[in-house]
């Protein structure tokens, strides 16, 4: 089970089979150096200390970046974001009715304590994730199974069988591409106490390319090469994950060579890093996006579709995105991002800035301009808090621009409210908000069930749902369910486009942009970018077997 | 009652010589105090003489006088200019951010007599920020926030710290102990964490909460100073005389002790204002001051590394200069006041 998050993890679906079938073998050019140096220490920049190294508890990016080195994945993504086996031996066997998935585990793989990695470990990992008593902030969605326990069975030491209630096209990409943890360790921890288990700081048994060595809280996490790694011993002997919270300092560090790998270079420093001698950098579209989540419930300010459309017509999205991201963002009109094969810039509804139209839509909705320039209706002012995460410069900038534009052009009084991450989602999850700037990480294959299907509306229909908008539309629900069952890529693309059109027509949310991220390497070889320099696959635990191929120069 | 006498922390009074000098001054006034009680009327001239003299001494302190003039100019600008400028501080031109400062272009002006002249002109003297907002207008409006926070939070310090310190110092004993332990608790409180917690609980900061939080967590220095003054003065002979004559606690506190304890408090309060302004800047820099679009010198410095990386140094230099100038001027004025009120100079 894979988790995705930018500031909030969300599991969106993906038709892994379809991806695997479609992606062309790109001609790789890098990583074929004849002299591969063995040994050495690779320093990696973490922008915050890992909260935990227990993968069942990880809900933040730094922790995810830390544990990605040490736990194996069942399946993984290759450089073109196609699903390929890692710990699994070949692709899964799928029954004719597409409801039974059989996965073989490779023989000979071992944990760091020398015991074999077996089907029991794979099944136990799923059982823990699916357990309703698991105390975690991480989002694991095993709802496609008939039963969290009976739905995953160990057929023999190297075979696991998954039984699904219904056809679920993204099952491979969403559920089978995540980490596998040793049953002998994590199976013994009471799920209700998982959050506070002492081993969370120092994992004892691991099986990825590197093993845990030691940790200095707040400063660094030290890893050593796993000599018995099933994909072959890594060239690099040691990895030091150094906590550098200052993003400018982290950018400078990769320029100086103090850090060998900086996975996320701050936008302001990108041009300096690109120009630096000895640094190899890649810029590529991120698997994530930002949008404005409206509270679409009828009793709220944005409950009227005319108001939401007015919002969309009043803004010049391209210019706002350009200003907020310094040109490092691709404006979006849907939740399919350029990194995905489903991306189709022409299939979405676009709102070109048209202020007179926006004004007339507000008039239609019954909101008239008051004496202070702010619109009002029945004595109520059009006034709301515009939530945004504090300390996120690009988002704050976008929110500042938008609230000022909307005040001037449309008479909406939206007060930018920078809010600390710890409490940011409280009003939103309670349905007690009007609009918020949100960020999402996504799976390469789309599944809008969790965030847009009406059964997931929180708090009304699902207490831990991820659909905060409160938007109800039977057509949308039907299209989402149909897309989950469709395994044919072209047919699925059509359904995805239909969902995008419904979302766009009704401005269920106001899509903003997808980041273009930059990674920098200094004295590291063996890094193979995908199409358009994409390195998504070697970040955030999408594919850690690649790390074994890296070496230092 | 064998009560342990708490020693007066000399350092708080500005050193031994200063303490002696204050004591000498107080002895002098004590004589007056006794006269007051006998003649029932305070000779107004005597009080005026002290402050007038202090005023004259302050004006002789050139650096302090110049600093006061600079401060006054900043204050007048901060109070009145934003009224004239309206929304200029928040008007954006986000497509054309980072307008450089001191860029002049020729502009044709027609004088009333019909004479056309060409003058160097600039729309944004100090340039514009990342969203294309006028930097000068924001600086001036930001000054208003800084001064408002500085002065109002100091008023809070004086009210909270002053009254608690006075009560502790005057009544001593259990009450003193209780209040001082409470003070220790406040001192031990991690200020930034309190601000973050309050921000989180209230879902954002407003100017009022900022002032209240600063006032409630920073009054202890004034409190301790006030207590030291009261402990010291309550034992002085003129107070004992007043007590012997049957003066009420209220009269003793407000008539006899308070006026005599003001000197170090005034100095400390003045110097404290610059501390608060810098504190607000630090909070703003961390993103915990008033929310945008309202500028403060602190939140104008937010993301300064980004600005330096982009070589937009002026956006860091101007607010920093404003902060440094203001804090320096306040400190110099504080020094001037201390010198003026110090009787050694007489």
């Amino acid at each position: 089970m894979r988790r995705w998050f930018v500031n909030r993890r969300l599991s969106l679906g993906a038709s892994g089979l379809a991806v695997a079938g479609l992606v062309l073998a790109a001609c790789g050019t890098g990583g074929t150096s004849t002299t591969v140096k063995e040994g050495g220490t690779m320093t990696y920049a973490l922008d915050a200390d890992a909260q935990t190294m227990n993968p069942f508890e990880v809900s933040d990016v730094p922790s995810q970046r830390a544990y990605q080195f040490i736990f194996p994945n069942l399946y993984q993504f290759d450089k073109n974001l196609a699903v390929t086996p890692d710990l699994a031996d070949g692709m899964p066997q799928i029954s004719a009715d597409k409801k039974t998935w059989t996965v073989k585990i490779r023989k000979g793989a071992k944990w760091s304590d020398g015991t074999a990695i077996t089907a029991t470990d794979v099944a136990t990992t799923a059982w823990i994730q699916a357990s309703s008593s698991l105390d975690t902030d991480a989002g694991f969605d095993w709802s496609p199974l008939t039963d969290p326990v009976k739905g995953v069975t160990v057929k023999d030491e190297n075979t696991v069988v998954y039984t699904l209630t219904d056809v679920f096209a993204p099952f491979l990409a969403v559920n089978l591409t995540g980490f596998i943890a040793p049953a002998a360790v994590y199976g013994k921890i009471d799920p209700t106490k998982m959050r506070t288990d002492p081993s969370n700081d120092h994992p004892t048994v691991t099986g990825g390319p590197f093993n845990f060595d030691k940790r200095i809280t707040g400063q660094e996490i030290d890893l050593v090469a796993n000599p018995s790694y099933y994909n072959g011993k890594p060239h690099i002997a040691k990895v030091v994950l150094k906590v550098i919270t200052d993003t400018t300092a982290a950018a400078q560090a990769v320029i100086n060579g103090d850090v060998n790998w900086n996975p996320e270079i701050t936008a302001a420093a990108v041009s300096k890093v690109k120009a630096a001698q000895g640094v190899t950098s890649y810029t590529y579209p991120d698997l994530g996006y930002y949008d404005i989540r409206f509270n679409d419930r009828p009793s709220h300010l944005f409950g009227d579709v005319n108001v939401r459309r007015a919002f969309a017509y009043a803004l010049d999205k391209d210019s706002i995105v350009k200003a907020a991201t310094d040109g490092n963002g691709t404006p979006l009109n849907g939740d399919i991002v350029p990194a995905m094969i489903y991306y189709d810039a022409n299939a979405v509804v676009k709102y070109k800035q048209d202020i007179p139209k926006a004004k007339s839509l507000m008039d239609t909705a019954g909101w008239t301009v008051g004496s202070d320039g702010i619109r009002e209706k029945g004595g109520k002012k059009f006034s709301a808090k515009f939530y945004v995460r504090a300390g996120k410069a690009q988002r704050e900038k976008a929110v500042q621009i938008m609230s000022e534009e909307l005040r001037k052009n449309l008479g909406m009084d939206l007060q930018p409210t920078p809010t600390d991450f710890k409490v940011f989602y409280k009003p939103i999850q309670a349905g007690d908000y009007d609009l918020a700037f949100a960020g999402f990480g996504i799976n390469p294959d789309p599944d809008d069930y969790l965030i847009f299907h009406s059964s997931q509306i929180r708090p009304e229909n699902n207490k831990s749902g991820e659909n905060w908008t409160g938007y109800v539309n039977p057509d949308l629900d039907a299209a989402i369910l149909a897309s989950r069952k469709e395994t044919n890529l072209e047919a699925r693309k059509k359904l995805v486009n239909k969902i995008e059109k419904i979302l766009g027509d009704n401005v269920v949310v106001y899509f903003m942009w997808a980041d273009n991220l930059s990674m920098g390497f200094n004295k590291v070889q063996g890094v193979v970018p995908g199409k358009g320099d994409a390195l998504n696959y070697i970040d955030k635990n999408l594919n850690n077997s690649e790390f074994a191929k890296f070496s230092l120069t | 009652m064998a009560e342990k006498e708490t020693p007066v922390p000399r350092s708080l009074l500005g050193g031994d010589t200063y303490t002696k000098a204050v004591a000498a001054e107080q002895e002098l006034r004590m004589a007056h105090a006794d006269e007051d009680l006998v003649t029932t009327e305070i000779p107004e001239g005597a009080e005026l003489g002290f402050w007038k003299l202090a005023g004259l001494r302050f004006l002789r302190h050139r650096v302090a006088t110049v600093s006061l003039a600079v401060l006054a100019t900043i204050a007048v600008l901060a109070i009145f200019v934003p009224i004239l400028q309206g929304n200029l501080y928040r008007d954006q031109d986000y497509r054309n951010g980072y307008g450089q400062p001191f860029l002049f272009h020729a502009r044709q002006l027609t004088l009333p007599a019909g004479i056309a002249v060409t003058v160097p002109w600039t729309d944004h003297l100090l340039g514009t920020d990342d969203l294309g907002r006028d930097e000068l207008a924001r600086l001036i409006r930001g000054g208003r926030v800084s001064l408002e926070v500085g002065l109002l939070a100091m008023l809070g310090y004086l009210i909270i710290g002053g009254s608690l310190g006075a009560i502790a110092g005057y009544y001593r004993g259990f009450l003193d102990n209780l209040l001082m332990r409470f003070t220790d608790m406040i001192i031990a409180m991690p200020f930034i964490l309190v601000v973050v917690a309050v921000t989180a609980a209230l879902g954002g900061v407003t100017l009022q909460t900022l002032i209240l939080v600063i006032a409630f967590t920073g009054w202890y220095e004034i409190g301790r100073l006030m207590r030291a003054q009261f402990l010291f003065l309550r034992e002085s002979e003129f107070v004992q005389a007043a007590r012997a004559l049957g003066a009420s606690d209220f009269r003793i506190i407000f008539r006899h002790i308070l006026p005599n304890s003001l000197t170090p408090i005034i100095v400390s309060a003045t110097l404290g204002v610059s501390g608060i302004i810098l504190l607000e800047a630090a909070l703003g820099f961390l993103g915990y001051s008033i929310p945008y679009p309202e500028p403060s010198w602190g939140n104008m410095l937010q993301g300064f590394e980004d600005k330096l990386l982009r070589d937009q140094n002026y956006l860091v230099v101007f607010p920093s200069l404003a902060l440094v100038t203001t804090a320096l001027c306040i400190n110099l004025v504080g020094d001037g006041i201390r010198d003026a009120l110090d009787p050694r100079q007489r």
Side-chain angles (χ1 to χ4, degrees):
Chain A
M1 173 60 210
R2 175 156 305 284
R3 284 151 299 136
W4 306 86
F5 33 87
V6 171
N7 65 8
R8 173 89 196 158
R9 74 279 154 203
L10 264 193
S11 308
L12 305 185
S15 168
L17 281 180
V19 183
L22 178 109
V23 167
L24 305 164
C27 29
T29 47
T32 50
S33 171
T34 46
T35 52
V36 172
K37 191 179 128 189
E38 298 292 325
T41 301
M42 177 174 78
T43 312
Y44 178 95
L46 275 184
D47 65 355
D49 197 8
Q51 301 290 310
T52 175
M53 294 192 73
N54 177 340
F56 294 100
E57 294 296 330
V58 171
S59 65
D60 61 298
V61 170
S63 302
Q64 196 183 21
R65 285 189 169 140
Y67 91 75
Q68 68 177 345
F69 289 92
I70 55 177
F71 287 97
N73 289 318
L74 188 56
Y75 286 89
Q76 63 188 4
F77 291 89
D78 71 5
K79 62 180 184 177
N80 299 309
L81 296 180
V83 180
T84 57
D86 181 9
L87 187 61
D89 186 10
M91 297 306 283
Q93 288 177 320
I94 306 164
S95 66
D97 66 356
K98 293 176 183 160
K99 290 184 190 173
T100 308
W101 294 57
T102 307
V103 175
K104 291 269 184 200
I105 316 295
R106 65 159 79 194
K107 293 190 175 98
K110 283 190 171 60
W111 294 112
S112 57
D113 63 356
T115 57
I117 305 179
T118 65
T120 311
D121 296 309
V122 176
T124 307
T125 302
W127 291 333
I128 297 172
Q129 291 176 350
S131 164
S132 57
S133 55
L134 178 65
D135 180 21
T136 184
D137 289 330
F140 300 108
D141 175 20
W142 283 95
S143 63
L145 294 180
T146 47
D147 178 285
V149 176
K150 288 180 206 147
V152 188
T153 50
V154 178
K155 198 172 159 195
D156 60 50
E157 195 172 316
N158 293 95
T159 314
V160 185
V161 179
Y162 299 87
T163 317
L164 277 56
T165 319
D166 212 337
V167 179
F168 182 50
F171 189 67
L172 176 62
V174 169
N175 295 79
L176 300 184
T177 53
F179 69 90
I180 300 301
V185 178
Y186 295 95
K188 285 189 182 135
I189 302 171
D190 178 354
T192 59
K193 292 179 182 141
M194 187 67 88
R195 189 188 289 270
T196 51
D197 193 76
S199 73
N200 293 2
D201 278 346
H202 48 88
T204 48
V205 181
T206 56
F210 292 89
N211 289 332
F212 179 79
D213 180 18
K214 63 180 192 293
R215 173 174 192 182
I216 307 170
T217 306
Q219 291 182 33
E220 62 180 60
I221 298 167
D222 293 5
L223 312 172
V224 288
N226 176 0
S228 56
Y229 181 49
Y230 55 80
N231 282 319
K233 186 183 176 231
H235 298 304
I236 292 169
K238 270 188 81 172
V239 175
V240 173
L241 312 177
K242 220 179 173 70
V243 179
I244 307 176
T245 50
D246 186 318
T247 51
T248 309
Q252 200 59 50
V254 78
I255 293 173
N256 299 342
D258 296 336
V259 154
N260 299 104
W261 179 3
N262 181 338
E264 200 165 333
I265 293 161
T266 180
V270 167
S271 53
K272 287 212 166 153
V273 172
K274 282 201 179 297
Q277 281 272 311
V279 179
T280 315
S281 59
Y282 303 89
T283 298
Y284 53 95
D286 185 27
L287 271 173
Y289 67 91
Y290 304 96
D291 67 21
I292 314 288
R293 292 268 130 157
F294 295 118
N295 190 339
D296 296 328
R297 293 169 179 85
S299 56
H300 284 76
L301 291 180
F302 290 95
D304 186 335
V305 67
N306 286 317
V307 174
R308 301 199 296 268
R309 282 183 186 143
F311 184 100
Y313 277 120
L315 297 172
D316 175 4
K317 185 184 285 175
D318 290 1
S319 301
I320 294 169
V321 171
K322 193 170 172 223
T325 66
D326 298 280
N328 290 310
T330 306
L332 284 184
N333 297 292
D335 64 354
I336 307 297
V337 301
M340 293 154 78
I341 54 163
Y342 291 86
Y343 182 69
D344 183 352
N346 297 316
V348 287
V349 183
K350 289 175 190 151
Y351 292 87
K352 202 175 173 326
Q353 189 178 31
D354 185 346
I355 293 165
K357 191 164 182 177
K359 283 181 173 162
S360 84
L361 279 165
M362 286 302 277
D363 294 339
T364 312
W367 291 95
T368 50
V369 182
S371 55
D372 56 353
I374 302 303
R375 289 193 183 251
E376 51 194 27
K377 180 174 165 181
K380 193 183 161 199
K381 289 264 173 214
F382 199 101
S383 176
K385 281 185 173 174
F386 195 161
Y387 290 104
V388 58
R389 269 188 60 191
K392 295 284 178 187
Q394 297 189 341
R395 307 182 200 187
E396 292 194 28
K397 208 167 156 181
V399 166
Q400 286 198 66
I401 297 173
M402 283 189 281
S403 46
E404 192 61 20
E405 289 287 290
L406 291 163
R407 186 183 62 83
K408 259 187 358 206
N409 296 343
L410 211 50
M412 286 181 177
D413 170 34
L414 305 175
Q415 304 118 28
T417 310
T419 311
D420 203 65
F421 180 46
K422 289 187 173 62
V423 287
F424 181 75
Y425 282 101
K426 279 206 173 137
I428 299 167
Q429 290 171 338
D432 181 25
Y433 77 107
D434 286 297
L435 74 170
F437 194 103
F440 299 89
I442 45 173
N443 191 293
D445 262 342
D447 177 16
D448 280 335
Y449 182 73
L450 284 179
I451 55 166
F452 288 125
H453 193 274
S454 66
S455 69
Q456 303 299 314
I457 293 175
R458 179 171 181 161
E460 294 93 329
N461 301 341
N462 185 336
K463 268 188 220 151
S464 57
E466 309 258 348
N467 182 353
W468 311 311
T469 62
Y471 182 74
V472 183
N473 182 339
D475 290 345
L476 179 61
D477 285 354
I480 289 172
L481 290 180
S483 80
R484 274 161 74 92
K485 288 183 193 169
E486 183 54 66
T487 48
N488 176 283
L489 178 73
E490 287 310 314
R492 198 149 179 271
K493 263 188 176 172
K494 283 202 181 88
L495 286 165
V496 166
N497 286 346
K498 187 176 170 190
I499 295 169
E500 296 284 273
K501 186 152 187 333
I502 297 173
L503 292 176
D505 273 338
N506 297 287
V507 201
V508 177
V509 299
Y510 183 73
F511 294 105
M512 291 300 308
W513 75 83
D515 273 331
N516 292 310
L517 289 186
S518 292
M519 257 189 207
F521 294 89
N522 195 333
K523 300 192 188 76
V524 179
Q525 62 180 18
V527 181
V528 184
K531 278 182 289 186
D533 270 0
L535 285 180
N536 275 319
Y537 79 115
I538 55 161
D539 194 19
K540 300 171 196 152
N541 196 38
L542 296 195
N543 181 338
N544 60 16
S545 66
E546 284 295 311
F547 304 156
K549 299 175 194 162
F550 290 3
S551 64
L552 297 173
T553 57
Chain B
M1 197 169 80
E3 193 171 25
K4 217 169 84 189
E5 186 63 64
T6 318
V8 178
R10 299 262 153 134
S11 58
L12 289 179
L13 294 173
D16 239 10
T17 28
Y18 182 47
T19 314
K20 277 181 199 146
V22 170
E25 163 106 1
Q26 274 153 359
E27 253 169 58
L28 208 83
R29 302 163 135 269
M30 198 189 70
H32 281 296
D34 284 343
E35 279 165 29
D36 297 350
L37 288 169
V38 177
T39 57
T40 73
E41 196 56 57
I42 305 171
E44 282 298 314
E47 285 296 312
L48 262 179
F50 175 75
W51 293 112
K52 213 174 207 171
L53 221 55
L56 286 173
R57 267 200 300 268
F58 182 83
L59 288 177
R60 272 215 308 269
H61 197 307
R62 270 201 210 115
V63 178
T65 318
V66 171
S67 300
L68 188 66
V70 174
L71 268 186
T73 314
I74 294 174
V76 167
L77 284 176
I79 293 167
F80 295 107
V81 174
I83 300 172
L84 301 175
Q85 288 184 325
N87 276 339
L88 186 62
Y89 75 98
R90 64 190 289 179
D91 281 344
Q92 299 175 347
D93 180 11
Y94 67 89
R95 292 178 186 85
N96 305 298
Y98 301 115
Q100 296 300 303
F102 309 121
L103 282 185
F104 291 93
H105 58 265
R107 182 170 162 165
Q108 289 272 326
L109 282 185
T110 314
L111 297 178
I115 313 158
V117 285
T118 308
V119 290
W121 189 264
T122 174
D123 293 327
H124 306 287
L125 181 65
L126 298 187
T128 61
D129 68 2
D130 52 343
L131 298 179
R133 296 173 296 201
D134 188 84
E135 184 72 0
L136 182 60
R138 292 182 67 75
L139 265 185
I140 293 173
R141 196 169 169 103
R144 173 141 90 167
V145 172
S146 292
L147 293 179
E148 208 172 327
V149 171
L151 293 175
L152 290 180
M154 182 45 73
L155 191 68
Y157 282 12
L158 289 173
I159 292 170
I160 304 171
S163 49
L164 293 187
I167 292 170
Y170 188 78
Y171 291 103
R172 302 195 306 189
F174 174 71
L175 200 59
D176 179 22
N177 234 321
L178 190 80
L179 288 173
M180 283 305 107
R181 294 302 78 75
F182 177 61
T183 312
D184 289 342
M185 228 172 70
I186 296 285
I187 295 172
M189 229 157 31
F191 173 74
I192 299 280
L193 284 187
V194 172
V195 174
V196 174
V198 170
T199 315
L202 299 177
V205 201
T206 62
L207 195 55
Q208 290 93 316
T209 50
L210 189 69
I211 292 169
L212 285 177
V213 169
I214 294 178
F216 275 109
T217 49
W219 53 265
Y220 54 83
E221 263 180 50
I222 296 277
R224 288 181 145 188
L225 197 55
M226 195 64 136
R227 172 177 172 271
Q229 283 289 303
F230 267 65
L231 275 178
F232 173 68
L233 289 173
R234 80 187 293 282
E235 299 305 327
S236 57
E237 285 158 16
F238 71 93
V239 171
Q240 283 176 4
R243 195 175 291 130
L245 286 169
S248 65
D249 282 356
F250 185 84
R251 186 180 168 88
I252 292 173
I253 291 173
F254 286 96
R255 211 62 205 252
H256 298 285
I257 302 185
L258 194 61
N260 286 301
S261 59
L262 279 182
T263 310
I265 302 286
I266 291 173
V267 174
S268 172
T270 314
L271 297 175
V273 170
S274 73
I276 298 171
I277 289 178
L278 293 177
L279 186 65
E280 188 280 328
L283 285 175
F285 167 70
L286 293 173
Y288 289 103
S289 184
I290 51 163
Y292 34 69
E294 200 62 48
S296 83
W297 291 339
N299 68 21
M300 287 172 77
L301 281 172
Q302 219 184 326
F304 80 100
E305 297 150 305
D306 259 31
K307 287 160 188 160
L308 294 181
L309 269 175
R310 292 190 165 88
D311 297 323
Q312 308 295 354
N313 304 344
Y314 68 100
L315 289 176
V316 178
V317 171
F318 293 139
S320 308
L321 258 178
L323 264 174
V324 171
T325 310
T326 309
L328 186 70
C329 285
I330 292 175
N331 285 348
L332 291 173
V333 168
D335 280 351
I337 293 176
R338 177 161 48 202
D339 292 350
L341 295 180
D342 190 335
R344 276 180 306 170
Q345 303 253 327
R346 199 175 266 183

